[in-house]
Amino acid sequence: MTSLDEPGAAAGPRPGRPRRRRAGAGGLRGVPLPLLLPGLLALAFLLLPLLALLLRAPWRALPRQLGSTEVWQALQLSLISATAATAVSLVLGVPLAWLLARTEFPGRGLVRALVTLPLVLPPVVGGVALLLALGRNGVVGQWLDAWFGITLPFTTTGVVIAEAFVAMPFLVISVEGTLRAADPRYEEAATTLGASRFTAFRRVTLPLIAPGIAAGAVLAWARALGEFGATITFAGNFPGRTQTMPLSVYLALQNDPEAAIALSLVLLTVSIAVLAALRDRWMTTP
């Protein structure tokens, strides 16, 4: 039995030491006014445009607007191209994330910065860069055209490439972060038991990082679905071939504002669905 005279045996908090309160206890009481007012203003700034979209939506005409052939073509193309871009991001991005997280090589920090560059690069600039690289007279595109007769700009394949270019960094960052949090000793134990590095990756690492891959894939898909600048620059805006939902919203805003609002509501619904899918990962209170 432990004596009360021994250190740490006394029950209750020590005199003179205030108890720690959980963050957020007490609601808004005690919040400094210089922090409360800007915070509420920021909340209103972010929510007001979305509320205006809902208030001005032509709810009665919504079925007619969404039932047009042009809308369904744009929606179908958007879903197909975003899914294809996500598949490309998975096939290429997961190995890249593993290389950044598990290997050491000169210039790894620079490579990581270049991988994340499309996140901050203006999408139109990304489209121009894709044209200079993969266009008919581009650095690589001229050889694709001369040797194989492949032309990528202003095609549906060009849409997928443009969307993958801007969406892949989201997946790479998510998977790399998950890999860094995963214990590498499981892979080392598998290799000591005779498994190859690839087998260890496929049988041990992939199941461990599956939630991170899923979250990154959802983010990449949502980013690809909403891509506008690189798509219109590299792939153009041809109905039924390269006109995705964001491009259709831009075109409808000039001629039919109600149709633009209806299309915007579809994209808003998709965004809310993405947030709901990622709620357990990012929106839970610790």
Side-chain angles (χ1 to χ4, degrees):
M1 182 178 296
T2 305
S3 173
L4 293 177
D5 295 333
E6 294 180 7
R14 294 183 180 179
R17 178 175 295 180
R19 291 185 177 181
R20 295 181 59 186
R21 297 178 60 188
R22 276 196 323 169
L28 293 178
R29 290 181 298 176
V31 177
L33 192 61
L35 297 180
L36 179 61
L37 291 181
L40 293 178
L41 183 61
L43 182 62
F45 174 73
L46 295 175
L47 295 182
L48 182 59
L50 302 179
L51 181 60
L53 180 63
L54 295 175
L55 292 176
R56 293 296 182 90
W59 296 106
R60 293 183 178 179
L62 197 60
R64 177 179 58 83
Q65 296 287 353
L66 297 180
S68 64
T69 304
E70 294 79 7
V71 170
W72 281 107
Q73 285 181 346
L75 179 59
Q76 182 181 15
L77 179 61
S78 294
L79 295 176
I80 293 175
S81 60
T83 303
T86 304
V88 172
S89 300
L90 284 169
V91 172
L92 302 180
V94 173
L96 176 58
W98 186 89
L99 290 175
L100 294 175
R102 288 288 191 263
T103 61
E104 296 284 347
F105 56 88
R108 185 177 66 169
L110 177 61
V111 172
R112 182 180 292 112
L114 293 176
V115 168
T116 57
L117 187 59
L119 293 177
V120 296
L121 192 70
V124 174
V125 177
V128 173
L130 287 173
L131 276 176
L132 296 178
L134 301 176
R136 182 168 294 179
N137 297 319
V139 176
V140 177
Q142 60 179 333
W143 303 112
L144 292 176
D145 186 27
W147 293 349
F148 306 104
I150 297 176
T151 303
L152 296 176
F154 310 110
T155 63
T156 304
T157 304
V159 175
V160 175
I161 292 175
E163 292 180 350
F165 177 76
V166 299
M168 191 183 301
F170 288 89
L171 183 133
V172 173
I173 290 176
S174 178
V175 176
E176 184 189 359
T178 306
L179 279 168
R180 291 184 177 277
D183 195 341
R185 289 178 296 180
Y186 292 107
E187 298 177 47
E188 296 172 0
T191 56
T192 57
L193 293 175
S196 64
R197 294 297 297 272
F198 180 71
T199 301
F201 170 78
R202 181 170 55 88
R203 300 292 295 273
V204 178
T205 307
L206 276 182
L208 285 175
I209 65 173
I213 294 178
V218 171
L219 280 176
W221 187 84
R223 180 64 184 89
L225 188 69
E227 167 53 31
F228 175 81
T231 302
I232 196 172
T233 307
F234 182 66
N237 186 15
F238 301 102
R241 189 171 65 180
T242 65
Q243 186 180 95
T244 58
M245 287 289 285
L247 274 63
S248 184
V249 170
Y250 175 76
L251 185 63
L253 190 60
Q254 305 175 26
N255 305 318
D256 191 354
E258 287 190 353
I261 296 175
L263 294 172
S264 299
L265 285 175
V266 174
L267 294 177
L268 178 62
T269 303
V270 172
S271 301
I272 294 175
V274 169
L275 285 179
L278 297 177
R279 178 181 57 186
D280 293 336
R281 181 174 177 85
W282 286 339
M283 300 180 66
T284 53
T285 304

